[in-house]
Every structure is written in structure tokens, then in C-alpha cells.
Amino acid sequence: MTSTSRRIGVLISGRGSNLQAIIDAIGEGHLDAEIAVVISNRADAAGLARAAAAGIETLVLPHRAFTDRSAYDAALVEALRAWGVELVCLAGFMRLLGPTFVEAFPNAILNIHPSLLPSFPGMDAQAQALTHGVKVSGATVHLVTADLDAGPIVAQAAVPVLEDDTAESLSARILAAEHRLYPEAIRLLLNGRWRLDGRRLLESRPPQ
Ligand code: GRF
């Protein structure tokens, strides 16, 4: 971590294993970034202890303390700005973010979702994949827009769906892929060598 590292903010609601993968990627020198703050809407999120163990500042911002979504979003934005965050990474953050939030960080909010979007958006993506009988599923990192799980796709990883999979076994296989994918996607976003063409995120080639 250097003083010139780009400042990211990670939003969590629970376990925080993707947060841990980001912490580890930075610690191992695979990702040049600094986690400025980890914010949780739940005080009992296990990921808060992971952040504290890594010496990262944490903030609990309970959504119930706010009258409506837009007031909550505004408080999140204010906190992230106070910590100088330029890229927001949602990592199991279980709150929908409205226009107040999305417009405050244009093309600078990432989310990770446990399916190959646009298949199986929303809750219980792994169970949806099993019910549908797909043979391949995976994980997607995408830019967050006002539409749920529908922003431009930054990176994807595929995993097989096995005949004896349960939602738990498939989730575990996808999660392992998530942990490799998220740091990679953050690196891509931060290096700035990409552009949007409609809803497609295209990587620009470095100059020859
Ligand atoms: C992951 O499966 C992620 O794709 C989804 O929520 C889960 C978060 O897990 N959005 P963790 O808190 O990072 O362990």
C-alpha cells in the first residue's frame, strides 16, 4: 500500500469473504489500491472484524436509522466522500441503492453477483440456477446503475454446475471464483483502460 494508491470503499452486510479477498489481493501486491473504509448497514456483520484485523477503518450505518432510501443513500455518499473514496465496491451489501447514490459515483460503483448475468439477477441466484438446470453458472462483476444487477459487465468467471449440486455446494464453488474475480475486476476498473459503448464495457488496448 502506498500513499498514491487509489482509495476504494467496500460496503458489506455480512460475512465479508469478498472483502477478505480484496484485502488479501492488496496485501499480496496483486492490487494497487487502499481500502479507505468498510461500511456495513449491520453492526453484526462478520466482515467488520476482518476489516478491523487488517487495520481498516469501519463505519456502521444502520439503514433503519433513516427515514427513507434517499436519506440513507445521502449519508452513505457523505461518508464515502469524507474518506476520499473514488471507487465503491459492493461486497454482499444487501441494500438497494437509489439514484442519489448511483449518480454520486458515476461509473465508479462495482457489485459482485453470484451468477452469469443477465441470467438469474436478484436474490438466491445459485438456487435459481439449479432450478433452471443450467450446466454452467458463475460470477459477474458489473458497474452499478439504477437497474438491479443490469449495469455494464466488467468481468465474469464460469464454473460448472454438477448433477449432485445443492445450493450450498454450488454457492461454495461460485464463491471461490468470486474471490479471484473481484480483485481482477477492481484492477481493470482502476487502470482506466476501458470505455463504455452503450451497455458494453470495452477494454481499450494500450498504445503501441
Ligand atoms: C456473494 O455471493 C456475492 O456474490 C453476493 O453476496 C455474497 C457475499 O458474500 N452479492 P461475502 O459477504 O463476500 O462472503
Side-chain angles (χ1 to χ4, degrees):
M1 191 172 359
T2 67
S3 57
T4 57
S5 292
R6 314 281 292 278
R7 292 170 73 79
I8 65 180
V10 182
L11 270 52
I12 62 168
S13 296
R15 179 175 59 183
S17 70
N18 279 287
L19 164 67
Q20 189 67 56
I22 299 167
I23 292 172
D24 293 346
I26 293 172
E28 290 160 12
H30 301 312
L31 175 61
D32 182 16
E34 176 181 355
I35 302 179
V37 63
V38 170
I39 302 179
S40 173
N41 64 315
R42 299 181 54 120
D44 61 354
L48 288 168
R50 299 178 188 266
I56 299 166
E57 292 193 71
T58 60
L59 174 69
V60 175
L61 214 47
H63 54 274
R64 290 208 174 84
F66 295 83
T67 45
D68 59 21
R69 189 188 312 285
S70 132
Y72 185 65
D73 283 6
L76 278 178
V77 169
E78 194 185 326
L80 290 163
R81 292 236 167 96
W83 262 283
V85 165
E86 56 179 304
L87 177 68
V88 182
C89 299
L90 308 183
F93 186 63
M94 301 302 286
R95 300 294 306 165
L96 286 177
L97 296 165
T100 304
F101 192 87
V102 173
E103 286 162 20
F105 292 96
N107 296 328
I109 309 167
L110 288 176
N111 181 43
I112 188 155
H113 183 79
S115 75
L116 293 175
L117 290 171
S119 291
F120 317 128
M123 297 295 287
D124 300 323
Q126 303 94 332
Q128 290 185 54
L130 284 181
T131 304
H132 204 92
V134 294
K135 307 298 184 196
V136 175
S137 190
T140 301
V141 176
H142 64 94
L143 284 172
V144 173
T145 61
D147 304 318
L148 177 70
D149 295 335
I153 290 169
V154 178
Q156 290 185 306
V159 306
V161 179
L162 308 181
E163 290 192 351
D164 57 357
D165 263 334
T166 59
E168 289 69 35
S169 62
L170 178 58
S171 298
R173 193 174 310 116
I174 292 175
L175 195 63
E178 292 183 37
H179 296 162
R180 292 187 293 273
L181 189 68
Y182 213 171
E184 243 176 63
I186 294 169
R187 192 165 48 235
L188 192 159
L189 237 271
L190 287 178
N191 80 20
R193 290 195 289 271
W194 55 273
R195 66 191 163 83
L196 289 177
D197 175 20
R199 61 188 304 155
R200 298 167 73 208
L201 186 143
L202 304 176
E203 290 187 58
S204 336
R205 288 176 213 285
Q208 297 296 309

